[in-house]
Amino acid sequence: MSIRHDWTLEELQVLYDLPFIELVSKANQIHSRFHELSEIQVCSLISIKTGGCQEDCKYCAQSSRYQTSIKAQPMMTFEAVLRDAKSAIKQGATRVCLGAAWREVREGKPFEEILKIIEAITSLGVEVCCTLGMLNASQAKRLKEAGLYAYNHNLDTSEKFYKTIITTRTYQDRLDTLSHLENSKLSICCGGILGMGEDYMDRLELLLLLGTRNPHPESVPINRLSQIPGTPLEGQSKVSVWELIRIVAIARIVLPKSMIRLACGRIGMSYEEQALCFLSGANSIFAGEKLLTVANTPIDKDEEMFQLLGLKKKTAFKKASKS
Ligand code: SAM
Ligand code: SF4
């Protein structure tokens, strides 16, 4: 089975219209060709610079435009980040993601500090991913030289819906950063959020965009909106778990080798719902009590689920197998 980069919206619509069991079964067949069925990568997302962001992303607790409970905090120290990374690795994380509430990377001491942190955590034998907002070609190159494995830069939804959620930057701005990342040979992590008021076509258009990139993003986080009091998306109706599973399954079919990650919004999902997501091709979770500033599934619940389902933790740097 070849990896395709020429998907059409019509094809994704056909997949979306399949009866649920057929869609999940199709996704699972593809999943099993490229991945170990019961292998899940555990990631940890550390908020190294929290709050006070100038952007107006309507979903975000860290935007300084909205009256949320999150206030601007200074960047964590090198030692504190290393301490948290070591603790996450001890609990089974093989990918450590460092998030900053920034519009973009700016030159100066904080960025230099992050380059040192990347080197230090990489030396612990795990994949390091950063999500620091937009960046330029030189910054991408320096991140790569520091040993960074991957960079997260979500497109979040379709281009047309994006402008109703964020007005302080454009979709093209995000696509430009993805190009700098690709040119610097950094592995790309790019996904989206379900439940912001978009319709299913917006979700398919995001998957189409990811599925027609060459190469596909190595990592695709799928978030369910976590409603943040004080943000414009507070009160948004929750997207159904059935819709989430459909999108996971289509993502798996369109992006066979990518890591499909259940990210924000997993908290409160039953083991059965998560098992259906894994059956449909999701093969990664974020563990730890927080996802940046948002509550996450308690670690002991995840351990219990791994036991119950006989799941194994994926090692770092293990690529999807050829088929
Ligand atoms: N400032 C950087 C940026 O905007 O790229 C990194 C911050 S964080 C990793 C950004 C991502 O987290 C968003 O693109 C979105 O996918 C996710 N996210 C943030 N707030 C969320 C929320 N309330 N619910 C679900 N996902 C959320
Ligand atoms: Fe800032 Fe990123 Fe939050 Fe947008 S998602 S407000 S850019 S921290």
Side-chain angles (χ1 to χ4, degrees), residues 53-57 59-63 100-103 166 169 174:
C53 183
Q54 67 196 71
E55 298 290 88
D56 68 352
C57 311
Y59 49 71
C60 190
Q62 304 195 68
S63 167
W102 289 341
R103 165 188 165 82
I166 300 166
R169 61 178 184 260
R174 300 293 277 191

Side-chain angles (χ1 to χ4, degrees), residues 59 100 102 131 154 156 174 193 223-226 228 264 292:
Y59 49 71
W102 289 341
T131 183
N154 292 331
D156 279 331
R174 300 293 277 191
I193 310 183
N223 297 284
R224 255 175 130 187
L225 178 74
S226 172
I228 306 293
C264 196
L292 293 179

